Amino acid sequence: MSARASASIVLATAAAFSAALATPALAAAPHLAAHTTAQLTQAVARQESHTLRGLSKPGTTNATVSSTNWSGYAATGSSGAYTSVTSSWTQPSVSCGSATTYSSFWVGLDGYSNSALEQTGTEADCINGTAVYGAWWEVLPASESAYSGVTVKGGDKFTATVTYNGSTFAMTLTDSTQGWTKTTTHAGSSGFKNASAEVVAEAPEVGGSVASLANFGTVTFTGAKANGSNLDGFSPTEIVMTKSSSSAVRAQPGTISGGSFADTWKAS
């Protein structure tokens, strides 16, 4: 074959390959962008807060209530009733479209019947088309703080615990899949009462407004305990997440039994 013929074949092949990449079926960039993931940054975390919003029946206990941002269970009692809360879960994965949405999963003391709250947990967000995973702690009224130097992935196994030792709160989060543990010790919220213990899936407040809820599918909380005993033994209040403008359900907890319950996404 002549040198001129070989050159013609190479040029034709290159042109065909370029044309193929330009077709939607083979163009890789949009597909990759839709599946990229990132880790929670402090810049994002400091915009988030986990205060209970839109409670339908303030003061109600041992029943079913609704909130515009919490879904799960809260054991309630008098001041000093609860000194520890713990639960485990598998970190949900999120598949992101163009919408920016958020979801958090955590345990905490206080928060249901007062403005105090000491908590730790994880999140799965969709920010500008990218899945963002992270781990954090929070003591109200301050915003969320991201744990530094950790990696969180969908499918990771977590255990979270908040314990009051008589003078300070220890908030501990363990990722047994990635092999790390983080503990933060804090004096707690001003005026804390330790009057409730919660295990919750949430649409956090972002920039002062309750966020759209990321489609986390179903998260199953196991080993949910307060003061070392199964949470259901305290006849906890069931909290259903609903839209603020209607009774449409955003997230629904299932029946709690033996310290376990599933919480399912219904709508953003």
Side-chain angles (χ1 to χ4, degrees), residues 92-94 103 105 214-219 250-252 263-266:
S93 299
V94 287
S103 61
F105 317 95
N215 185 351
F216 60 83
T218 296
V219 59
R250 303 177 76 193
Q252 174 75 56
D263 211 304
T264 302
W265 180 91
K266 298 292 185 180

Side-chain angles (χ1 to χ4, degrees), residues 164-185:
Y164 178 64
N165 64 15
S167 59
T168 59
F169 292 86
M171 294 161 281
T172 300
L173 186 66
T174 297
D175 184 335
S176 59
T177 304
Q178 301 294 330
W180 58 259
T181 295
K182 290 285 188 176
T183 297
T184 298
T185 301

Side-chain angles (χ1 to χ4, degrees), residues 48-49 68-69 100-103 125 202-214 241 250 267-268:
E48 298 190 38
S49 180
T68 55
N69 67 330
T100 292
T101 56
Y102 296 80
S103 61
D125 308 330
E202 182 187 17
E205 188 174 283
V206 180
S209 299
V210 174
S212 295
L213 181 63
M241 192 191 309
R250 303 177 76 193
S268 293

Side-chain angles (χ1 to χ4, degrees), residues 30-65:
H31 173 76
L32 291 175
H35 292 83
T36 55
T37 61
Q39 295 297 301
L40 177 68
T41 64
Q42 290 293 0
V44 172
R46 66 171 175 255
Q47 301 298 318
E48 298 190 38
S49 180
H50 302 273
T51 305
L52 177 63
R53 297 298 185 191
L55 186 65
S56 63
K57 303 173 183 178
T60 300
T61 60
N62 305 333
T64 298
V65 300

Side-chain angles (χ1 to χ4, degrees), residues 114-204:
N114 55 49
S115 59
L117 185 55
E118 300 82 22
Q119 56 184 163
T120 189
T122 65
E123 66 183 80
D125 308 330
C126 291
I127 301 177
N128 297 325
T130 297
V132 177
Y133 299 108
W136 52 270
W137 63 275
E138 182 179 82
V139 173
L140 292 179
S143 59
E144 172 185 296
S145 293
Y147 287 117
S148 61
V150 301
T151 298
V152 175
K153 295 181 179 180
D156 285 3
K157 309 295 184 182
F158 281 93
T159 298
T161 303
V162 178
T163 302
Y164 178 64
N165 64 15
S167 59
T168 59
F169 292 86
M171 294 161 281
T172 300
L173 186 66
T174 297
D175 184 335
S176 59
T177 304
Q178 301 294 330
W180 58 259
T181 295
K182 290 285 188 176
T183 297
T184 298
T185 301
H186 197 282
S189 300
S190 176
F192 71 84
K193 297 184 180 299
N194 289 346
S196 62
E198 299 89 19
V199 179
V200 166
E202 182 187 17

